[in-house]
Amino acid sequence: MRQPDIEIYLRDDHLQDLLDWLPEALGPLTLQPATGLTQRGIFQGTAPVPLMIVRKAAGKWASIWFDSPATPWASDRECARAVQAAIGHEVRCSVGGWEEADGEADADRWLKVNAEGETEFNWAQ
């Protein structure tokens, strides 16, 4: 089932590698100037895909949010796999779609995707 949006986490120091690669997957990117730790942009590929980056969203990790179902990935996990394969850095995401209505029990369950594979872990932010 396709998620309505995609969110992954990447260490802040690897964001430029991601931004260099993403236009290959989503089309040309127009970035607005950063406002504090937040930066917004939009990809103008087949369909517009809004982007929001929040640096230091979880310590040294930045949140990368694609606010559209029109990405090439059906889930956070698919996106994390594609990004890790493309840029070679660890990517983190939720283990599945999570909503506040689901409660707090699974809120700290995360997936890390790196050169060794995929591992679920608890990430208490």
Side-chain angles (χ1 to χ4, degrees):
M1 178 176 198
R2 181 166 285 278
Q3 291 178 214
D5 61 359
I6 300 289
E7 184 178 23
I8 60 170
Y9 288 77
L10 185 70
R11 286 183 59 106
D12 282 354
D13 51 344
H14 301 305
L15 281 174
Q16 191 57 54
D17 293 338
L18 177 70
L19 291 172
D20 290 345
W21 172 75
L22 278 173
E24 292 179 29
L26 294 169
L29 171 62
T30 302
L31 276 176
Q32 298 173 358
T35 305
L37 297 176
T38 302
Q39 190 166 24
R40 295 177 187 272
I42 190 158
F43 292 95
Q44 296 294 343
T46 310
V49 175
L51 169 74
M52 183 170 71
I53 298 169
V54 179
R55 291 180 177 270
K56 302 190 186 321
K60 295 179 182 179
W61 295 82
S63 165
I64 298 96
W65 181 43
F66 305 94
D67 187 15
S68 172
T71 68
W73 316 290
S75 67
D76 296 352
R77 184 182 298 244
E78 281 185 21
C79 179
R81 288 174 179 157
V83 170
Q84 196 286 322
I87 67 173
H89 300 296
E90 182 175 303
V91 181
R92 295 180 177 185
C93 66
S94 65
V95 294
W98 179 84
E99 297 178 18
E100 283 191 54
D102 295 337
E104 296 295 319
D106 289 338
D108 291 335
R109 288 184 53 227
W110 292 83
L111 180 73
K112 59 181 167 184
V113 180
N114 56 33
E116 286 77 45
E118 299 177 17
T119 308
E120 283 191 30
F121 71 106
N122 282 339
W123 190 13
Q125 297 181 34

